[in-house]
Amino acid sequence: MTVPLYQAKAELFRTLGHPVRIRVLELLQDGPKPVRELLTSIEVEPSNLSQQLAVLRQAGMVSSSREGSLVVYALSTPDVADLLAAGRRILGSLLTDRDELLAQLRSAGQQ
């Protein structure tokens, strides 16, 4: 039985629903990084990072490779970076709208 497209899309967005996963994806936009570098930048327990990387890998958003004793992670496709950029644009728009609404509310209270 195949999964309906809307369910597959929901699963994709659920994958993005954790701050550590978002941060990992943001860091990987600059290129592949070894786990130790990700740990330094994110400051979480190694086991937590490992769990989040496994979720991202299982979802197909990142890939991993070995370089000697290092495990290096990379975005699986540039489309992941495009998705993050779209998210930033949407969030920026939402926050701007809220700022404008807050300003209107404040000015209405002074009248």
Side-chain angles (χ1 to χ4, degrees), residues 19-75:
V20 171
R21 291 183 216 142
I22 294 291
R23 186 65 182 129
V24 166
L25 295 173
E26 288 174 344
L27 291 168
L28 294 178
Q29 289 181 102
D30 297 331
K33 297 205 178 348
V35 172
R36 69 170 184 227
E37 190 174 330
L38 293 171
L39 273 170
T40 302
S41 299
I42 299 175
E43 298 179 13
V44 295
E45 293 296 320
S47 60
N48 187 353
L49 180 60
S50 179
Q51 287 176 328
Q52 303 313 324
L53 286 167
V55 170
L56 290 169
R57 198 173 50 248
Q58 187 175 28
M61 298 186 91
V62 299
S63 60
S64 63
S65 62
R66 282 206 167 271
E67 293 181 8
S69 63
L70 298 176
V71 178
V72 177
Y73 283 86
L75 295 180

